[in-house]
């Protein structure tokens, strides 16, 4: 019988290996909690034991294999993009596969789990406070935030059409891009309404996923932006901007190919 996977990555190893500095085994990593950098094994970063399991240690009900299957389809397409640097060579089916992978990557991280747990707790606190105000003896037990988070994966494919319809473009640098333990980062220059402006279908949304230190896949809101060039060369200010999004959005770890974390250190000194 095949052993159940214990060490479950919330950033696919095929993406992390693209930032490796040691034959795909190690990666430079900055730990924001300890404010220090180190060269760590890819096996031991952006992962957690039994992270996707319904019951820790049990294969049944685990999302690990569903996500691994999605990775197996997306990985060769990401390699194709990196090597050919031409999005026009992607078929519609291939774009659909990548869009589904992006929607899953958005949902699968510790940042996403924490966001869901926080929203869930606020909701349950609001309900119980209201029940107290009306002197009701009914008390609602808090739903499991992780169960709620896990349930959202079944709807990830519903986001495919939303992402496919964005303007897609590649952003290029000379091995200068960071990635992180929450690599699909979002940005919106439009004013934030009450409900926020960082949804995948929010007006003005921009999304960036580093594929390797030289190439970022960018998706831009089709509602307000004209289609950009499909390959865009970055200057230093643009590099610093997209790298800063990785620093801000990371749960804990930022990764680079060469161990240069001067931007991270500057941002932590001057938040």
């Amino acid at each position: 019988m095949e052993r159940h996977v214990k060490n479950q990555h919330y950033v696919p190893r095929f993406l992390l290996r693209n930032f490796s500095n040691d034959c795909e085994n190690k990666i430079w990593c900055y730990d924001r909690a300890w404010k220090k950098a180190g060269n760590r094994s890819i096996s031991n970063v952006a992962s957690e034991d039994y992270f996707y399991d319904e019951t820790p240690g049990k294969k049944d009900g685990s999302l690990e294999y569903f996500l691994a299957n999605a990775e197996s389809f997306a990985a060769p397409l990401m390699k194709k993009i990196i090597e050919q640097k031409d999005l026009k060579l992607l078929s519609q089916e291939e774009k659909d596969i990548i869009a589904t992978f992006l929607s899953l990557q958005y949902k699968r991280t510790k940042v996403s789990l924490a966001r869901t747990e926080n929203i869930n707790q606020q909701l349950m606190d609001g309900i119980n406070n209201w029940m107290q105000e009306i002197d009701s003896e009914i008390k609602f037990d808090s739903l499991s935030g992780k169960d709620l988070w896990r349930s959202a994966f079944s709807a990830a494919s519903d986001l495919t059409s939303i992402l496919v319809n964005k303007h897609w473009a590649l952003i290029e640098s000379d091995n200068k891009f960071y990635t992180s333990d929450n690599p699909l980062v979002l940005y919106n220059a439009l004013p934030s309404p009450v409900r926020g402006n960082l949804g995948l279908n929010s007006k003005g949304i921009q999304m960036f996923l580093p594929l390797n230190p030289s190439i970022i896949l960018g998706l831009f809101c089709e509602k307000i932006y004209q289609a950009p060039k499909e390959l865009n060369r970055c200057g230093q200010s643009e590099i610093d901007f997209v790298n800063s999004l990785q620093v801000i959005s990371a749960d804990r770890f930022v990764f680079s190919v060469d161990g240069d974390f001067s931007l991270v250190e500057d941002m932590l000194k001057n938040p």
Side-chain angles (χ1 to χ4, degrees), residues 81 136 164 239:
I81 292 173
S136 172
V164 164
I239 292 169

Side-chain angles (χ1 to χ4, degrees), residues 5-265:
V5 176
K6 178 181 180 181
N7 184 31
Q8 300 175 1
H9 281 73
Y10 41 88
V11 179
R13 278 173 287 187
F14 81 83
L15 284 179
L16 294 173
R17 290 189 190 106
N18 291 344
F19 289 80
S20 173
N21 56 79
D22 182 29
C23 300
E24 300 187 348
N25 293 318
K26 290 190 174 183
I27 190 170
W28 282 104
C29 169
Y30 191 94
D31 186 334
R32 298 197 325 172
W34 290 95
K35 296 185 178 180
K36 62 186 295 187
N39 200 13
R40 300 182 57 175
S41 169
I42 286 175
S43 296
N44 298 321
V45 297
S47 67
E48 187 172 300
D49 288 353
Y50 305 125
F51 185 61
Y52 295 114
D53 289 4
E54 183 175 18
T55 303
K58 300 293 185 182
K59 185 174 181 179
D60 290 346
S62 178
L63 293 169
E64 169 69 14
Y65 305 97
F66 166 70
L67 292 169
N69 184 62
E71 291 174 25
S72 71
F73 285 98
L77 299 180
M78 299 302 193
K79 182 178 180 181
K80 177 180 178 179
I81 292 173
I82 291 169
E83 291 177 347
Q84 300 183 353
K85 299 181 183 179
D86 190 347
L87 295 173
K88 294 192 295 295
L89 298 178
L90 295 175
S91 69
Q92 186 58 55
E93 180 181 6
E94 289 173 331
K95 287 191 73 172
D96 289 346
I97 290 171
I98 294 172
T100 299
F101 172 81
L102 294 177
S103 67
L104 290 171
Q105 183 57 58
Y106 175 70
K107 291 179 178 291
R108 69 184 289 179
T109 64
K110 292 187 75 173
V111 169
S112 174
L113 171 59
R115 181 170 56 239
T116 303
E117 289 177 327
N118 182 54
I119 293 171
N120 179 61
Q121 190 60 55
Q122 289 182 24
L123 175 63
M124 296 311 299
D125 288 348
I127 291 174
N128 285 320
N129 289 339
W130 177 70
M131 298 302 288
Q132 289 179 0
E133 289 176 4
I134 63 174
D135 294 325
S136 172
E137 296 182 358
I138 300 174
K139 182 174 177 61
F140 287 86
D141 292 329
S142 178
L143 298 171
S144 166
K146 190 160 190 178
D147 285 343
L148 186 62
W149 172 73
R150 284 171 46 83
S151 70
F153 282 80
S154 60
S157 60
D158 295 341
L159 297 173
T160 297
S161 60
I162 292 174
L163 298 184
V164 164
N165 288 330
K166 304 296 181 195
H167 295 313
W168 291 32
L170 298 178
I171 303 166
E172 186 178 30
S173 77
D174 293 323
N175 267 23
K176 297 294 186 181
F177 294 133
Y178 289 163
T179 190
S180 71
D181 57 9
N182 185 38
L184 181 62
V185 295
L186 310 182
Y187 174 75
N188 199 329
L190 298 182
S192 176
V194 175
R195 295 179 60 187
N197 64 353
L198 292 179
L200 297 187
N201 202 30
S202 295
K203 184 177 180 180
I205 196 68
Q206 302 174 44
M207 311 173 207
F208 305 97
L209 178 71
L211 304 185
N212 71 5
S214 299
I215 295 290
I216 284 176
L217 174 61
L219 277 66
F220 301 86
C221 177
E222 76 285 6
K223 300 170 186 175
I224 67 168
Y225 295 116
Q226 294 183 343
K229 294 188 300 182
E230 290 200 351
L231 183 61
N232 302 268
R233 187 73 180 175
C234 260
Q236 190 60 50
S237 61
E238 291 86 3
I239 292 169
D240 288 346
F241 169 70
V242 292
N243 282 346
S244 71
L245 294 178
Q246 292 293 332
V247 179
I248 292 167
S249 302
D251 174 58
R252 180 171 176 178
F253 298 109
V254 180
F255 307 110
S256 81
V257 72
D258 59 6
D260 180 0
F261 294 108
S262 54
L263 176 66
V264 183
E265 293 166 341

